[in-house]
Amino acid sequence: MSWIREGELSLIERLCANIIKAGPMPKHIAFIMDGNRRYAQKCQVERQQGHSQGFDKLAETLRWCLNLGVHEVTVYAFSIENFKRTKDEVDGLMDLARQKFTRLLEEQEKLRKHGVCIRVLGDLHLLPRDLRELIARAVRATRSYSNDVSEGLLDRCLYTNHSPDPDILIRTSGEVRLSDFLLWQTSHSCLVFQPMLWPEYTFWNLCEALLQFQVNHGVLQRARDTYADERKRQQLESDQAAVTEQLLREGAAAPGDPRRRRALLSRLTAAREERVQAFLQALELKREDLLASLGAASA
């Protein structure tokens, strides 16, 4: 049996899902699955049981998302701060995660049809020294090309660059904070903080979050569009300033000549994209080497 439990929604759940899907739907949802330990304390069971219930709730939630047509989900499963817990709890949680995610990886080929994938995200300071040095060298190398470094380039350097930014970020347990989770990617997301503990999460809680997203969809979309337009405008202004500077360095008699400026602008943007692509390809190779080394070390 699949860890992501197969099965249809109940009649009333299907009815509600169809009504919700008539409105704008998110492509990507992020979850901060908070409250496993408090759930264990509330139910007077071992903490490990609370974490196990949390993993089972994740499986159930992924099934709801598939039924609702949401094919990208990112979850906050473990943080660096969590390593401050007792060794027994950390070891138990790591063993549990290994079991659950190994099972999920075994099913991934089937799940790929639904757009489900697994990524491990980490903090920059935890990356190997050679990868950090590569990024540092790339930044130093672009000092002569100030137009290369931009917010758009940073977007493309993130592990999440192949996914759309989350439309919704949901945190359970009543905590109203993001805990440094996807701060860059959720700058224009609908943030939903819900009071129930994660193992108690229900289909109806998810529907409530979707309704909040739909109510705020227009405002969020306008903010995203405005932000995208502003980034394009800033990049164009920066490119045009670089063209003017180069023409002045060359001692051009007519630095305002439109034909000359257009040709130079075209060459400048093409050269920048070539440098950026070379950097991103090198970065991707380093990531692949890193993941391969981590996989070999854990085998």
Side-chain angles (χ1 to χ4, degrees):
M1 182 178 177
S2 171
W3 182 54
I4 297 182
R5 304 182 190 118
E6 296 178 346
E8 294 295 325
L9 299 175
S10 68
L11 179 61
I12 189 169
E13 287 173 342
R14 287 202 305 273
L15 176 62
C16 182
N18 288 334
I19 293 173
I20 288 177
K21 285 192 286 187
M25 289 295 291
K27 297 181 177 66
H28 184 183
I29 299 179
F31 289 95
I32 299 179
M33 306 180 296
D34 196 14
N36 292 341
R37 296 207 303 172
R38 275 171 281 177
Y39 174 80
Q41 184 178 17
K42 176 181 175 180
C43 296
Q44 298 182 338
V45 298
E46 295 292 331
R47 286 178 178 174
Q48 190 72 1
Q49 182 62 27
H51 292 310
S52 182
Q53 290 287 334
F55 275 107
D56 289 340
K57 182 58 63 175
L58 171 59
E60 193 173 9
T61 302
L62 291 176
R63 178 171 65 83
W64 297 334
C65 288
L66 288 176
N67 277 282
L68 286 162
V70 179
H71 289 169
E72 294 212 38
V73 173
T74 301
V75 299
Y76 192 166
F78 200 81
S79 75
I80 300 304
E81 291 297 316
N82 292 153
F83 281 110
K84 296 179 181 178
R85 297 176 181 177
T86 65
K87 185 177 185 302
D88 287 344
E89 183 177 0
V90 171
D91 289 346
L93 187 53
M94 291 295 103
D95 288 341
L96 183 62
R98 189 176 299 110
Q99 295 169 18
K100 297 292 188 179
F101 287 119
T102 297
R103 187 171 177 183
L104 186 56
L105 284 167
E106 291 170 352
E107 301 170 7
Q108 188 167 356
E109 193 57 40
K110 177 180 68 176
L111 295 172
R112 195 182 300 279
K113 300 175 183 177
H114 300 290
V116 177
C117 62
I118 301 170
R119 298 189 186 92
V120 178
L121 311 179
D123 290 335
L124 180 62
H125 70 275
L126 297 176
L127 296 177
R129 184 177 300 278
D130 60 343
L131 182 54
R132 283 181 283 165
E133 180 57 27
L134 171 69
I135 296 173
R137 285 203 309 271
V139 172
R140 289 196 295 270
T142 56
R143 285 179 179 170
S144 299
Y145 306 99
S146 60
N147 291 2
D148 287 10
V149 180
S150 65
E151 293 182 13
L153 176 57
L154 181 55
D155 284 341
R156 297 163 73 180
C157 289
L158 300 175
Y159 280 102
T160 55
N161 73 94
H162 297 299
S163 296
D165 289 341
D167 298 291
I168 312 176
L169 185 146
I170 298 170
R171 180 168 189 153
T172 57
S173 85
E175 295 288 344
V176 185
R177 52 194 172 91
L178 300 182
S179 299
D180 294 333
F181 181 54
L182 300 180
L183 296 182
W184 182 270
Q185 298 91 330
T186 56
S187 58
H188 295 99
S189 301
C190 179
L191 306 181
V192 180
F193 301 99
Q194 297 178 295
M196 71 294 303
L197 304 176
W198 174 248
E200 299 172 330
Y201 205 67
T202 69
F203 174 78
W204 305 111
N205 298 139
L206 179 57
C207 289
E208 178 191 14
L210 293 174
L211 288 173
Q212 287 193 43
F213 165 75
Q214 291 179 340
V215 167
N216 293 283
H217 177 262
V219 173
L220 291 170
Q221 190 58 53
R222 286 193 294 275
R224 286 184 175 184
D225 292 344
T226 300
Y227 178 62
D229 290 343
E230 178 62 17
R231 277 172 46 164
K232 290 179 182 177
R233 185 191 64 78
Q234 290 178 355
Q235 184 68 68
L236 180 58
E237 287 184 354
S238 180
D239 288 344
Q240 290 173 338
V243 167
T244 299
E245 183 179 348
Q246 182 166 338
L247 287 170
L248 292 174
R249 283 200 307 268
E250 294 174 356
D257 177 44
R259 183 179 301 177
R260 171 69 172 146
R261 291 185 67 87
R262 283 196 298 269
L264 192 55
L265 181 62
S266 178
R267 288 201 299 272
L268 182 147
T269 54
R272 180 184 66 245
E273 187 58 27
E274 184 177 347
R275 291 191 300 270
V276 166
Q277 285 298 333
F279 167 63
L280 292 174
Q281 288 171 8
L283 183 60
E284 190 63 30
L285 288 174
K286 283 292 185 180
R287 283 175 177 163
E288 291 174 1
D289 290 344
L290 168 63
L291 293 176
S293 65
L294 290 175
S298 62

